[in-house]
Amino acid sequence: DPLAPAPLAAVGAAILGALRPRLLVVSTPNREYNAVLLGLMGVSARLNERGLRDIDHRFEWTRSEFEAWARELADQFAYKVDFHGVGRAPGDDVGEDVGSATQIAVFARELTEEEQASRRSSDTALPVHPELSVTWDSSAEP
């Protein structure tokens, strides 16, 4: 979002194509959720002139736009990608499903045969990506 779309395309290729991490987590605001923010918090003055959350945002993606971008990169560089969301305001019933406040793509790369052999011959294990779920009790004291 602070990056313009053209440099963002180069960043995706540089990270997934050249650096080839085993795991990459990318998060970005969900533009569809801005309607919830407007309705619940009255933050219209905080949205920039294009209806984006922060003045430095060049763009914000809808869920379908973000997923299309991530799937294209995953296909191009042989990654598996899963999508998740973070943040839902209490009572965010705007009459339609707009997803979460923040959208996340988790890119995972399978180990090559060479990496698998190297891993078997060393005592060093790759970190495990655990599932994490946090529930916030809005009635609790801060």
Side-chain angles (χ1 to χ4, degrees):
D1 27 77
L3 289 175
L8 183 61
V11 168
I15 294 172
L16 296 179
L19 297 176
R20 308 268 313 139
R22 173 86 168 84
L23 187 71
L24 174 66
V25 178
V26 177
S27 68
T28 190
N30 171 11
R31 184 178 181 122
E32 296 164 273
Y33 200 79
N34 290 353
V36 174
L37 296 175
L38 287 170
L40 289 178
M41 300 179 198
V43 294
S44 59
R46 291 181 53 199
L47 296 179
N48 71 22
E49 65 278 356
R50 292 181 314 233
L52 307 179
R53 293 185 201 175
D54 203 329
I55 196 162
D56 74 338
H57 287 188
R58 310 272 192 305
F59 69 97
E60 291 174 353
W61 276 324
T62 64
R63 288 171 294 166
S64 62
E65 291 167 334
F66 181 59
E67 288 180 16
W69 172 81
R71 286 186 200 288
E72 183 178 328
L73 280 175
D75 289 346
Q76 183 178 0
F77 297 107
Y79 277 78
K80 177 183 166 224
V81 64
D82 293 312
F83 300 96
H84 305 276
V86 175
R88 297 209 44 132
D92 67 356
D93 53 349
V94 295
E96 59 184 289
D97 180 20
V98 295
S100 299
T102 299
Q103 48 194 337
I104 295 176
V106 179
F107 294 86
R109 179 178 57 81
E110 292 297 320
L111 293 174
T112 65
E113 288 182 23
E114 183 178 300
E115 289 170 325
Q116 289 176 7
S118 174
R119 182 174 178 206
R120 283 191 295 269
S121 67
S122 80
D123 294 331
T124 307
L126 292 175
V128 176
H129 173 61
E131 288 291 322
L132 175 65
S133 177
V134 178
T135 304
W136 175 61
D137 181 1
S138 62
S139 65
E141 300 255 344

PDB file of all heavy atoms in Angstrom, residues 29-47 51-54 60 87-89 92 94 98 100-102:
ATOM      1  N   PRO A  29      -3.997  -3.736   3.939  1.00  0.00           N
ATOM      2  CA  PRO A  29      -5.380  -3.408   4.300  1.00  0.00           C
ATOM      3  C   PRO A  29      -6.375  -3.978   3.288  1.00  0.00           C
ATOM      4  O   PRO A  29      -6.066  -4.097   2.112  1.00  0.00           O
ATOM      5  CB  PRO A  29      -5.411  -1.881   4.252  1.00  0.00           C
ATOM      6  CG  PRO A  29      -4.008  -1.441   4.346  1.00  0.00           C
ATOM      7  CD  PRO A  29      -3.191  -2.530   3.714  1.00  0.00           C
ATOM      8  N   ASN A  30      -7.535  -4.329   3.776  1.00  0.00           N
ATOM      9  CA  ASN A  30      -8.627  -4.772   2.926  1.00  0.00           C
ATOM     10  C   ASN A  30      -9.513  -3.555   2.649  1.00  0.00           C
ATOM     11  O   ASN A  30     -10.190  -3.063   3.540  1.00  0.00           O
ATOM     12  CB  ASN A  30      -9.426  -5.876   3.631  1.00  0.00           C
ATOM     13  CG  ASN A  30     -10.693  -6.239   2.907  1.00  0.00           C
ATOM     14  OD1 ASN A  30     -10.924  -5.848   1.774  1.00  0.00           O
ATOM     15  ND2 ASN A  30     -11.539  -7.003   3.579  1.00  0.00           N
ATOM     16  N   ARG A  31      -9.493  -3.073   1.433  1.00  0.00           N
ATOM     17  CA  ARG A  31     -10.255  -1.869   1.073  1.00  0.00           C
ATOM     18  C   ARG A  31     -11.748  -2.030   1.363  1.00  0.00           C
ATOM     19  O   ARG A  31     -12.424  -1.080   1.743  1.00  0.00           O
ATOM     20  CB  ARG A  31     -10.036  -1.522  -0.392  1.00  0.00           C
ATOM     21  CG  ARG A  31     -10.727  -0.222  -0.771  1.00  0.00           C
ATOM     22  CD  ARG A  31     -10.478   0.155  -2.215  1.00  0.00           C
ATOM     23  NE  ARG A  31     -11.148   1.404  -2.502  1.00  0.00           N
ATOM     24  CZ  ARG A  31     -10.568   2.487  -2.927  1.00  0.00           C
ATOM     25  NH1 ARG A  31      -9.269   2.494  -3.149  1.00  0.00           N
ATOM     26  NH2 ARG A  31     -11.248   3.575  -3.150  1.00  0.00           N
ATOM     27  N   GLU A  32     -12.264  -3.240   1.195  1.00  0.00           N
ATOM     28  CA  GLU A  32     -13.688  -3.479   1.434  1.00  0.00           C
ATOM     29  C   GLU A  32     -14.075  -3.193   2.883  1.00  0.00           C
ATOM     30  O   GLU A  32     -15.220  -2.849   3.161  1.00  0.00           O
ATOM     31  CB  GLU A  32     -14.046  -4.923   1.080  1.00  0.00           C
ATOM     32  CG  GLU A  32     -13.859  -5.242  -0.389  1.00  0.00           C
ATOM     33  CD  GLU A  32     -13.839  -6.724  -0.634  1.00  0.00           C
ATOM     34  OE1 GLU A  32     -12.751  -7.327  -0.529  1.00  0.00           O
ATOM     35  OE2 GLU A  32     -14.917  -7.285  -0.909  1.00  0.00           O
ATOM     36  N   TYR A  33     -13.143  -3.343   3.809  1.00  0.00           N
ATOM     37  CA  TYR A  33     -13.433  -3.151   5.229  1.00  0.00           C
ATOM     38  C   TYR A  33     -13.547  -1.676   5.604  1.00  0.00           C
ATOM     39  O   TYR A  33     -14.055  -1.340   6.668  1.00  0.00           O
ATOM     40  CB  TYR A  33     -12.359  -3.834   6.082  1.00  0.00           C
ATOM     41  CG  TYR A  33     -12.813  -4.096   7.497  1.00  0.00           C
ATOM     42  CD1 TYR A  33     -13.638  -5.177   7.795  1.00  0.00           C
ATOM     43  CD2 TYR A  33     -12.434  -3.260   8.534  1.00  0.00           C
ATOM     44  CE1 TYR A  33     -14.064  -5.413   9.081  1.00  0.00           C
ATOM     45  CE2 TYR A  33     -12.857  -3.490   9.825  1.00  0.00           C
ATOM     46  CZ  TYR A  33     -13.676  -4.569  10.101  1.00  0.00           C
ATOM     47  OH  TYR A  33     -14.104  -4.805  11.388  1.00  0.00           O
ATOM     48  N   ASN A  34     -13.117  -0.781   4.729  1.00  0.00           N
ATOM     49  CA  ASN A  34     -13.204   0.649   5.036  1.00  0.00           C
ATOM     50  C   ASN A  34     -14.638   1.083   5.314  1.00  0.00           C
ATOM     51  O   ASN A  34     -14.872   1.994   6.114  1.00  0.00           O
ATOM     52  CB  ASN A  34     -12.600   1.481   3.904  1.00  0.00           C
ATOM     53  CG  ASN A  34     -11.095   1.331   3.835  1.00  0.00           C
ATOM     54  OD1 ASN A  34     -10.474   0.718   4.695  1.00  0.00           O
ATOM     55  ND2 ASN A  34     -10.496   1.863   2.792  1.00  0.00           N
ATOM     56  N   ALA A  35     -15.618   0.423   4.685  1.00  0.00           N
ATOM     57  CA  ALA A  35     -17.024   0.746   4.941  1.00  0.00           C
ATOM     58  C   ALA A  35     -17.386   0.480   6.395  1.00  0.00           C
ATOM     59  O   ALA A  35     -18.150   1.240   7.010  1.00  0.00           O
ATOM     60  CB  ALA A  35     -17.927  -0.071   4.020  1.00  0.00           C
ATOM     61  N   VAL A  36     -16.825  -0.575   6.969  1.00  0.00           N
ATOM     62  CA  VAL A  36     -17.068  -0.893   8.376  1.00  0.00           C
ATOM     63  C   VAL A  36     -16.455   0.182   9.260  1.00  0.00           C
ATOM     64  O   VAL A  36     -17.071   0.657  10.212  1.00  0.00           O
ATOM     65  CB  VAL A  36     -16.498  -2.282   8.730  1.00  0.00           C
ATOM     66  CG1 VAL A  36     -16.622  -2.566  10.216  1.00  0.00           C
ATOM     67  CG2 VAL A  36     -17.194  -3.358   7.914  1.00  0.00           C
ATOM     68  N   LEU A  37     -15.232   0.580   8.944  1.00  0.00           N
ATOM     69  CA  LEU A  37     -14.572   1.617   9.735  1.00  0.00           C
ATOM     70  C   LEU A  37     -15.360   2.918   9.707  1.00  0.00           C
ATOM     71  O   LEU A  37     -15.513   3.581  10.725  1.00  0.00           O
ATOM     72  CB  LEU A  37     -13.144   1.840   9.220  1.00  0.00           C
ATOM     73  CG  LEU A  37     -12.202   0.651   9.351  1.00  0.00           C
ATOM     74  CD1 LEU A  37     -10.871   0.958   8.696  1.00  0.00           C
ATOM     75  CD2 LEU A  37     -12.022   0.257  10.802  1.00  0.00           C
ATOM     76  N   LEU A  38     -15.853   3.262   8.541  1.00  0.00           N
ATOM     77  CA  LEU A  38     -16.662   4.478   8.426  1.00  0.00           C
ATOM     78  C   LEU A  38     -17.917   4.386   9.274  1.00  0.00           C
ATOM     79  O   LEU A  38     -18.287   5.325   9.969  1.00  0.00           O
ATOM     80  CB  LEU A  38     -17.048   4.739   6.971  1.00  0.00           C
ATOM     81  CG  LEU A  38     -15.933   5.238   6.072  1.00  0.00           C
ATOM     82  CD1 LEU A  38     -16.386   5.213   4.621  1.00  0.00           C
ATOM     83  CD2 LEU A  38     -15.515   6.632   6.482  1.00  0.00           C
ATOM     84  N   GLY A  39     -18.596   3.240   9.211  1.00  0.00           N
ATOM     85  CA  GLY A  39     -19.849   3.067   9.930  1.00  0.00           C
ATOM     86  C   GLY A  39     -19.691   2.969  11.430  1.00  0.00           C
ATOM     87  O   GLY A  39     -20.475   3.543  12.182  1.00  0.00           O
ATOM     88  N   LEU A  40     -18.673   2.259  11.889  1.00  0.00           N
ATOM     89  CA  LEU A  40     -18.507   2.023  13.323  1.00  0.00           C
ATOM     90  C   LEU A  40     -17.785   3.144  14.049  1.00  0.00           C
ATOM     91  O   LEU A  40     -18.097   3.460  15.181  1.00  0.00           O
ATOM     92  CB  LEU A  40     -17.747   0.720  13.562  1.00  0.00           C
ATOM     93  CG  LEU A  40     -18.493  -0.551  13.245  1.00  0.00           C
ATOM     94  CD1 LEU A  40     -17.593  -1.757  13.485  1.00  0.00           C
ATOM     95  CD2 LEU A  40     -19.741  -0.666  14.096  1.00  0.00           C
ATOM     96  N   MET A  41     -16.812   3.711  13.405  1.00  0.00           N
ATOM     97  CA  MET A  41     -15.958   4.664  14.111  1.00  0.00           C
ATOM     98  C   MET A  41     -16.092   6.089  13.608  1.00  0.00           C
ATOM     99  O   MET A  41     -15.484   6.983  14.167  1.00  0.00           O
ATOM    100  CB  MET A  41     -14.502   4.209  13.992  1.00  0.00           C
ATOM    101  CG  MET A  41     -14.245   2.861  14.572  1.00  0.00           C
ATOM    102  SD  MET A  41     -12.516   2.476  14.327  1.00  0.00           S
ATOM    103  CE  MET A  41     -12.527   0.726  14.558  1.00  0.00           C
ATOM    104  N   GLY A  42     -16.825   6.277  12.530  1.00  0.00           N
ATOM    105  CA  GLY A  42     -16.960   7.625  11.994  1.00  0.00           C
ATOM    106  C   GLY A  42     -15.623   8.222  11.627  1.00  0.00           C
ATOM    107  O   GLY A  42     -15.346   9.374  11.937  1.00  0.00           O
ATOM    108  N   VAL A  43     -14.782   7.463  10.968  1.00  0.00           N
ATOM    109  CA  VAL A  43     -13.427   7.929  10.673  1.00  0.00           C
ATOM    110  C   VAL A  43     -13.320   8.557   9.290  1.00  0.00           C
ATOM    111  O   VAL A  43     -12.248   8.605   8.723  1.00  0.00           O
ATOM    112  CB  VAL A  43     -12.383   6.785  10.800  1.00  0.00           C
ATOM    113  CG1 VAL A  43     -12.276   6.311  12.212  1.00  0.00           C
ATOM    114  CG2 VAL A  43     -12.714   5.660   9.853  1.00  0.00           C
ATOM    115  N   SER A  44     -14.412   9.068   8.760  1.00  0.00           N
ATOM    116  CA  SER A  44     -14.356   9.610   7.403  1.00  0.00           C
ATOM    117  C   SER A  44     -13.291  10.686   7.255  1.00  0.00           C
ATOM    118  O   SER A  44     -12.673  10.807   6.215  1.00  0.00           O
ATOM    119  CB  SER A  44     -15.718  10.143   6.981  1.00  0.00           C
ATOM    120  OG  SER A  44     -16.133  11.151   7.873  1.00  0.00           O
ATOM    121  N   ALA A  45     -13.052  11.433   8.306  1.00  0.00           N
ATOM    122  CA  ALA A  45     -12.024  12.478   8.232  1.00  0.00           C
ATOM    123  C   ALA A  45     -10.631  11.861   8.156  1.00  0.00           C
ATOM    124  O   ALA A  45      -9.698  12.504   7.715  1.00  0.00           O
ATOM    125  CB  ALA A  45     -12.127  13.390   9.441  1.00  0.00           C
ATOM    126  N   ARG A  46     -10.502  10.605   8.582  1.00  0.00           N
ATOM    127  CA  ARG A  46      -9.196   9.960   8.569  1.00  0.00           C
ATOM    128  C   ARG A  46      -8.888   9.272   7.254  1.00  0.00           C
ATOM    129  O   ARG A  46      -7.760   8.883   7.008  1.00  0.00           O
ATOM    130  CB  ARG A  46      -9.102   8.952   9.715  1.00  0.00           C
ATOM    131  CG  ARG A  46      -9.066   9.639  11.068  1.00  0.00           C
ATOM    132  CD  ARG A  46      -8.956   8.672  12.201  1.00  0.00           C
ATOM    133  NE  ARG A  46      -7.840   7.760  12.022  1.00  0.00           N
ATOM    134  CZ  ARG A  46      -7.732   6.607  12.651  1.00  0.00           C
ATOM    135  NH1 ARG A  46      -8.656   6.214  13.477  1.00  0.00           N
ATOM    136  NH2 ARG A  46      -6.694   5.832  12.452  1.00  0.00           N
ATOM    137  N   LEU A  47      -9.870   9.069   6.396  1.00  0.00           N
ATOM    138  CA  LEU A  47      -9.605   8.473   5.099  1.00  0.00           C
ATOM    139  C   LEU A  47      -9.068   9.561   4.174  1.00  0.00           C
ATOM    140  O   LEU A  47      -9.502  10.705   4.237  1.00  0.00           O
ATOM    141  CB  LEU A  47     -10.873   7.862   4.502  1.00  0.00           C
ATOM    142  CG  LEU A  47     -11.489   6.681   5.254  1.00  0.00           C
ATOM    143  CD1 LEU A  47     -12.742   6.201   4.540  1.00  0.00           C
ATOM    144  CD2 LEU A  47     -10.508   5.549   5.443  1.00  0.00           C
ATOM    145  N   GLY A  51     -10.340   7.728  -0.383  1.00  0.00           N
ATOM    146  CA  GLY A  51     -11.049   6.767   0.446  1.00  0.00           C
ATOM    147  C   GLY A  51     -10.162   5.693   1.032  1.00  0.00           C
ATOM    148  O   GLY A  51     -10.647   4.635   1.424  1.00  0.00           O
ATOM    149  N   LEU A  52      -8.854   5.967   1.124  1.00  0.00           N
ATOM    150  CA  LEU A  52      -7.910   5.002   1.671  1.00  0.00           C
ATOM    151  C   LEU A  52      -7.606   5.331   3.124  1.00  0.00           C
ATOM    152  O   LEU A  52      -7.771   6.461   3.561  1.00  0.00           O
ATOM    153  CB  LEU A  52      -6.625   4.989   0.836  1.00  0.00           C
ATOM    154  CG  LEU A  52      -6.829   4.773  -0.666  1.00  0.00           C
ATOM    155  CD1 LEU A  52      -5.501   4.814  -1.396  1.00  0.00           C
ATOM    156  CD2 LEU A  52      -7.562   3.468  -0.934  1.00  0.00           C
ATOM    157  N   ARG A  53      -7.134   4.372   3.876  1.00  0.00           N
ATOM    158  CA  ARG A  53      -6.968   4.523   5.320  1.00  0.00           C
ATOM    159  C   ARG A  53      -5.850   5.452   5.766  1.00  0.00           C
ATOM    160  O   ARG A  53      -5.916   6.014   6.844  1.00  0.00           O
ATOM    161  CB  ARG A  53      -6.676   3.161   5.954  1.00  0.00           C
ATOM    162  CG  ARG A  53      -7.830   2.250   5.869  1.00  0.00           C
ATOM    163  CD  ARG A  53      -7.525   0.985   6.600  1.00  0.00           C
ATOM    164  NE  ARG A  53      -8.416  -0.034   6.097  1.00  0.00           N
ATOM    165  CZ  ARG A  53      -8.361  -1.274   6.446  1.00  0.00           C
ATOM    166  NH1 ARG A  53      -7.460  -1.676   7.289  1.00  0.00           N
ATOM    167  NH2 ARG A  53      -9.204  -2.130   5.933  1.00  0.00           N
ATOM    168  N   ASP A  54      -4.811   5.540   4.999  1.00  0.00           N
ATOM    169  CA  ASP A  54      -3.660   6.315   5.437  1.00  0.00           C
ATOM    170  C   ASP A  54      -3.213   7.244   4.311  1.00  0.00           C
ATOM    171  O   ASP A  54      -3.290   6.883   3.140  1.00  0.00           O
ATOM    172  CB  ASP A  54      -2.518   5.370   5.826  1.00  0.00           C
ATOM    173  CG  ASP A  54      -1.525   6.011   6.774  1.00  0.00           C
ATOM    174  OD1 ASP A  54      -1.334   7.239   6.698  1.00  0.00           O
ATOM    175  OD2 ASP A  54      -0.936   5.287   7.582  1.00  0.00           O
ATOM    176  N   GLU A  60      -5.228   0.534  -2.074  1.00  0.00           N
ATOM    177  CA  GLU A  60      -5.597  -0.561  -1.183  1.00  0.00           C
ATOM    178  C   GLU A  60      -6.381  -1.557  -2.022  1.00  0.00           C
ATOM    179  O   GLU A  60      -7.216  -1.163  -2.830  1.00  0.00           O
ATOM    180  CB  GLU A  60      -6.454  -0.073  -0.006  1.00  0.00           C
ATOM    181  CG  GLU A  60      -5.687   0.778   0.971  1.00  0.00           C
ATOM    182  CD  GLU A  60      -6.555   1.390   2.058  1.00  0.00           C
ATOM    183  OE1 GLU A  60      -7.802   1.270   2.000  1.00  0.00           O
ATOM    184  OE2 GLU A  60      -5.980   2.010   2.966  1.00  0.00           O
ATOM    185  N   GLY A  87      -8.537  -9.084  12.230  1.00  0.00           N
ATOM    186  CA  GLY A  87      -9.255  -7.905  12.692  1.00  0.00           C
ATOM    187  C   GLY A  87     -10.675  -7.783  12.192  1.00  0.00           C
ATOM    188  O   GLY A  87     -10.900  -7.589  11.015  1.00  0.00           O
ATOM    189  N   ARG A  88     -11.589  -7.942  13.107  1.00  0.00           N
ATOM    190  CA  ARG A  88     -12.998  -7.679  12.839  1.00  0.00           C
ATOM    191  C   ARG A  88     -13.504  -6.914  14.046  1.00  0.00           C
ATOM    192  O   ARG A  88     -13.318  -7.335  15.170  1.00  0.00           O
ATOM    193  CB  ARG A  88     -13.776  -8.963  12.639  1.00  0.00           C
ATOM    194  CG  ARG A  88     -13.254  -9.703  11.421  1.00  0.00           C
ATOM    195  CD  ARG A  88     -14.205 -10.533  10.700  1.00  0.00           C
ATOM    196  NE  ARG A  88     -15.500  -9.986  10.446  1.00  0.00           N
ATOM    197  CZ  ARG A  88     -16.074 -10.027   9.264  1.00  0.00           C
ATOM    198  NH1 ARG A  88     -15.430 -10.512   8.239  1.00  0.00           N
ATOM    199  NH2 ARG A  88     -17.283  -9.593   9.104  1.00  0.00           N
ATOM    200  N   ALA A  89     -14.131  -5.800  13.792  1.00  0.00           N
ATOM    201  CA  ALA A  89     -14.655  -4.984  14.881  1.00  0.00           C
ATOM    202  C   ALA A  89     -15.917  -5.619  15.452  1.00  0.00           C
ATOM    203  O   ALA A  89     -16.688  -6.227  14.722  1.00  0.00           O
ATOM    204  CB  ALA A  89     -14.966  -3.577  14.371  1.00  0.00           C
ATOM    205  N   ASP A  92     -19.631  -5.491  13.503  1.00  0.00           N
ATOM    206  CA  ASP A  92     -19.371  -4.960  12.161  1.00  0.00           C
ATOM    207  C   ASP A  92     -20.333  -5.550  11.124  1.00  0.00           C
ATOM    208  O   ASP A  92     -19.946  -5.921  10.043  1.00  0.00           O
ATOM    209  CB  ASP A  92     -17.916  -5.156  11.740  1.00  0.00           C
ATOM    210  CG  ASP A  92     -17.540  -6.622  11.548  1.00  0.00           C
ATOM    211  OD1 ASP A  92     -18.373  -7.493  11.805  1.00  0.00           O
ATOM    212  OD2 ASP A  92     -16.403  -6.868  11.125  1.00  0.00           O
ATOM    213  N   VAL A  94     -22.405  -4.884   8.522  1.00  0.00           N
ATOM    214  CA  VAL A  94     -22.779  -3.874   7.532  1.00  0.00           C
ATOM    215  C   VAL A  94     -23.720  -4.444   6.480  1.00  0.00           C
ATOM    216  O   VAL A  94     -23.986  -3.804   5.484  1.00  0.00           O
ATOM    217  CB  VAL A  94     -21.540  -3.243   6.845  1.00  0.00           C
ATOM    218  CG1 VAL A  94     -20.724  -2.466   7.841  1.00  0.00           C
ATOM    219  CG2 VAL A  94     -20.712  -4.302   6.156  1.00  0.00           C
ATOM    220  N   VAL A  98     -17.615  -8.310   4.226  1.00  0.00           N
ATOM    221  CA  VAL A  98     -16.538  -7.505   3.650  1.00  0.00           C
ATOM    222  C   VAL A  98     -15.165  -8.007   4.084  1.00  0.00           C
ATOM    223  O   VAL A  98     -14.159  -7.382   3.796  1.00  0.00           O
ATOM    224  CB  VAL A  98     -16.687  -6.005   4.006  1.00  0.00           C
ATOM    225  CG1 VAL A  98     -17.938  -5.434   3.383  1.00  0.00           C
ATOM    226  CG2 VAL A  98     -16.671  -5.797   5.509  1.00  0.00           C
ATOM    227  N   SER A 100     -12.031  -9.193   6.640  1.00  0.00           N
ATOM    228  CA  SER A 100     -11.340  -8.659   7.814  1.00  0.00           C
ATOM    229  C   SER A 100     -10.676  -7.330   7.479  1.00  0.00           C
ATOM    230  O   SER A 100     -10.516  -6.986   6.314  1.00  0.00           O
ATOM    231  CB  SER A 100     -10.280  -9.655   8.277  1.00  0.00           C
ATOM    232  OG  SER A 100     -10.878 -10.879   8.636  1.00  0.00           O
ATOM    233  N   ALA A 101     -10.258  -6.628   8.505  1.00  0.00           N
ATOM    234  CA  ALA A 101      -9.611  -5.326   8.314  1.00  0.00           C
ATOM    235  C   ALA A 101      -8.298  -5.453   7.542  1.00  0.00           C
ATOM    236  O   ALA A 101      -7.991  -4.643   6.683  1.00  0.00           O
ATOM    237  CB  ALA A 101      -9.363  -4.662   9.665  1.00  0.00           C
ATOM    238  N   THR A 102      -7.544  -6.489   7.852  1.00  0.00           N
ATOM    239  CA  THR A 102      -6.261  -6.730   7.201  1.00  0.00           C
ATOM    240  C   THR A 102      -6.299  -8.098   6.545  1.00  0.00           C
ATOM    241  O   THR A 102      -6.814  -9.049   7.115  1.00  0.00           O
ATOM    242  CB  THR A 102      -5.116  -6.680   8.233  1.00  0.00           C
ATOM    243  OG1 THR A 102      -5.095  -5.379   8.818  1.00  0.00           O
ATOM    244  CG2 THR A 102      -3.768  -6.972   7.602  1.00  0.00           C
TER     245      THR A 102
END
